[in-house]
Amino acid sequence: MADNRRWWALVVIALAQLMVILDMTIVNIALPSAQIDLRMSDGNRQWVITAYTLAFGGLLLLGGRVADLAGRKLTFMIGLLGFAAASALGGAATGSGMLFGARALQGVFAALLAPSALSLLTTTFTDPKERGKAFGVFGAIVGAGAAIGLLAGGLLTQYLDWRWCLYVNVPIAFVAFAGAWVLLDSGGRHEDAHLDVPGALLGSAGMLSLVYGFSEAESRSWGDALVLGLLAAGVVLLGLFALWQTRARVPLLPVSVVRDRQRVGAFLTILFVTIGMFGVFLFLTYYFQRVLGYSPLKTGLAYLPITVGMITGSTQVAARLLNRVPPRTLIVPGLLLAAGALALVAQVGVEPAYASHVLPGMLMLGLGMGTAMMTCVSLATGGVAPRDSGAASATFNTAQQVGGSIGTALLNTIAASVTTRYATAHAGPGVDRRALASHAAVHGFNVATWWAMASLLLAALIAGVVVDARRVPVPEGHAKRVPEVAESAG
């Protein structure tokens, strides 16, 4: 593919990936307005986020195999059209059930779109120097997409309506579709690829059971029989999924993908990073709007430092050093910096503390996450055989989405439980109920944020112990062609 065409193809791929990542957080700022409009309960509101991330994460491995079977360009384009249709349905929702369903449908088509996008990126840029630049851009999109979604959500909610946080995907998807039609190569098909339906059912059911169990713990308590049963069933089903993958003729998760120590390290790191991060975005949104009284736009602007930090860490730190230093020397310090940021944010109170705690915390968080995320993306997809590139890409995205689903449900449950206990313990005659509610909410957010920090520290430990490569590997099957690509480019 000619140089100019290849870089324009990157624009198309990055635009689609931005839409997918952005949609995990763009509704966060709209959520308070949507909750009132559709009369959602506090216990059910988190399903606006988890319905999307759960369907997305649960079907990603299947989506990766569909991409291998049908061709990545075709799957990419179908994913774009389906995502646009689901977004329009969600924007027109007349009740919470319709919105939850539309968000789940978005997740289904995102599961087709995301692995195709990452596979196309991996096979389009094979020269190590160009690959570093391309993954720098892609890593910035992955890292900053969440924060950009929060900013866009603020603008759309305040000046139009919360429904436009979903409608906005329609024009973006059609622009990306037109670009894909013109610019992308077919991406190749693998005739020996098959769909592992039993594996998809076991994996999806296991993750749904876990997330539903975590979400029910807030209203029923951790010792409730249903909660314990759901969590146990989730573990059993995921165990059966792992066992089936060793016996399936063409498994969703090939052994070759998870046999590599570096990829396993990247997958586990991303899993625990997103467990910690997704809940924090939700808490900060409610802290800004409900406690500090920020408007949706001001809330979106308050997140801008994360975007700046993400882009800086991804393009100016990780992209420049990726081919020069061992990956863990980028991942571990990045995650430790991000964990320090959460420790700072976890100390906020009901009094405004943006300049003293939130602003420096966001800058640190963005810089650390941008550096670590971009390195993990490249590490997870490097050195994989072309026939398994869809599965490897899907596994990385699965770790991200499953982590987001579990993290949102788990941390929301922790925050809500702590808030209730605090409010009960401090209630009494003469106590200002409104002030108590604010103090209780902030205390719940703080405790959950400490747990999020612990998840990032665990991710840093995993990366430091498991990831031991001297350099990020080049995609298998492309190393011998690198001189030819470089020569033709020159």
Side-chain angles (χ1 to χ4, degrees), residues 296-322:
L297 176 58
K298 189 174 181 180
T299 300
L301 292 172
Y303 279 106
L304 200 55
I306 289 184
T307 307
V308 174
M310 290 269 193
I311 294 174
T312 302
S314 182
T315 63
Q316 301 305 310
V317 179
R320 292 176 182 272
L321 298 177
L322 188 62

Side-chain angles (χ1 to χ4, degrees), residues 283-332:
F283 301 151
L284 281 174
T285 297
Y286 274 86
Y287 171 72
F288 288 146
Q289 293 194 37
R290 294 282 178 87
V291 177
L292 300 185
Y294 284 11
S295 67
L297 176 58
K298 189 174 181 180
T299 300
L301 292 172
Y303 279 106
L304 200 55
I306 289 184
T307 307
V308 174
M310 290 269 193
I311 294 174
T312 302
S314 182
T315 63
Q316 301 305 310
V317 179
R320 292 176 182 272
L321 298 177
L322 188 62
N323 296 313
R324 301 180 183 180
V325 300
R328 68 179 171 189
T329 62
L330 294 173
I331 298 172
V332 174

Side-chain angles (χ1 to χ4, degrees), residues 289-294 350 419 422-423 426-428 430-442:
Q289 293 194 37
R290 294 282 178 87
V291 177
L292 300 185
Y294 284 11
V350 294
T419 298
Y422 184 95
H426 292 80
V431 175
D432 186 335
R433 292 185 179 181
R434 187 169 183 177
L436 176 60
S438 294
H439 279 89
V442 170

Side-chain angles (χ1 to χ4, degrees), residues 63 148 258 304-305 423 446 457:
I148 292 172
V258 293
L304 200 55
N446 288 346
L457 290 176

Side-chain angles (χ1 to χ4, degrees), residues 378-449:
S378 192
L379 189 66
T381 57
V384 66
R387 68 178 179 276
D388 290 328
S389 62
S393 303
T395 305
F396 175 82
N397 279 289
T398 296
Q400 189 176 28
Q401 301 313 315
V402 170
S405 299
I406 293 174
T408 300
L410 177 60
L411 294 179
N412 185 64
T413 295
I414 291 173
S417 301
V418 171
T419 298
T420 300
R421 287 199 301 268
Y422 184 95
T424 302
H426 292 80
V431 175
D432 186 335
R433 292 185 179 181
R434 187 169 183 177
L436 176 60
S438 294
H439 279 89
V442 170
H443 181 63
F445 295 161
N446 288 346
V447 171
T449 302

Side-chain angles (χ1 to χ4, degrees), residues 90-430:
T94 56
S96 58
M98 184 175 174
L99 179 58
F100 298 159
R103 289 287 286 166
L105 196 58
Q106 280 185 306
V108 171
F109 285 104
L112 287 178
L113 184 58
S116 303
L118 197 50
S119 295
L120 286 166
L121 180 67
T122 302
T123 55
T124 299
F125 293 92
T126 56
D127 176 83
K129 191 172 182 179
E130 286 191 343
R131 181 177 167 82
K133 292 178 181 178
F135 270 88
V137 174
F138 192 81
I141 293 297
V142 171
I148 292 172
L150 293 163
L151 177 60
L155 286 167
L156 293 170
T157 301
Q158 182 155 336
Y159 291 110
L160 292 172
D161 185 78
W162 68 265
R163 297 176 184 277
W164 278 97
C165 292
L166 295 164
Y167 287 143
V168 70
N169 293 317
V170 177
I172 295 175
F174 280 116
V175 169
F177 181 88
W181 182 283
V182 174
L183 294 167
L184 295 183
D185 289 336
S186 64
R189 295 175 59 187
H190 298 286
E191 300 299 335
D192 60 342
H194 292 78
L195 300 184
D196 179 15
V197 177
L201 291 175
L202 286 170
S204 300
M207 286 181 282
L208 176 60
S209 185
L210 279 179
V211 172
Y212 190 51
F214 285 134
S215 66
E216 284 294 296
E218 187 272 325
S219 59
R220 294 176 176 269
S221 84
W222 289 101
D224 182 80
L226 176 62
V227 171
L228 293 176
L230 287 168
L231 296 178
V235 172
V236 170
L237 287 167
L238 291 178
L240 291 174
F241 167 78
L243 179 63
W244 174 255
Q245 294 307 286
T246 65
R247 300 184 177 186
R249 185 162 66 94
V250 182
L252 283 178
L253 187 57
V255 176
S256 60
V257 171
V258 293
R259 185 183 292 149
D260 182 83
R261 176 177 180 148
Q262 314 311 320
R263 277 195 295 276
V264 169
F267 296 151
L268 290 175
T269 299
I270 285 298
L271 175 69
F272 285 100
V273 165
T274 51
I275 283 176
M277 289 305 304
F278 274 67
V280 171
F281 282 127
L282 180 63
F283 301 151
L284 281 174
T285 297
Y286 274 86
Y287 171 72
F288 288 146
Q289 293 194 37
R290 294 282 178 87
V291 177
L292 300 185
Y294 284 11
S295 67
L297 176 58
K298 189 174 181 180
T299 300
L301 292 172
Y303 279 106
L304 200 55
I306 289 184
T307 307
V308 174
M310 290 269 193
I311 294 174
T312 302
S314 182
T315 63
Q316 301 305 310
V317 179
R320 292 176 182 272
L321 298 177
L322 188 62
N323 296 313
R324 301 180 183 180
V325 300
R328 68 179 171 189
T329 62
L330 294 173
I331 298 172
V332 174
L335 294 181
L336 292 178
L337 182 63
L342 293 189
L344 191 61
V345 172
Q347 299 178 56
V348 299
V350 294
E351 300 80 12
Y354 186 82
S356 61
H357 290 73
V358 180
L359 176 59
M362 284 189 169
L363 289 170
M364 292 166 57
L365 186 63
L367 185 62
M369 291 298 296
T371 302
M373 290 281 283
M374 183 268 182
T375 308
C376 283
V377 170
S378 192
L379 189 66
T381 57
V384 66
R387 68 178 179 276
D388 290 328
S389 62
S393 303
T395 305
F396 175 82
N397 279 289
T398 296
Q400 189 176 28
Q401 301 313 315
V402 170
S405 299
I406 293 174
T408 300
L410 177 60
L411 294 179
N412 185 64
T413 295
I414 291 173
S417 301
V418 171
T419 298
T420 300
R421 287 199 301 268
Y422 184 95
T424 302
H426 292 80

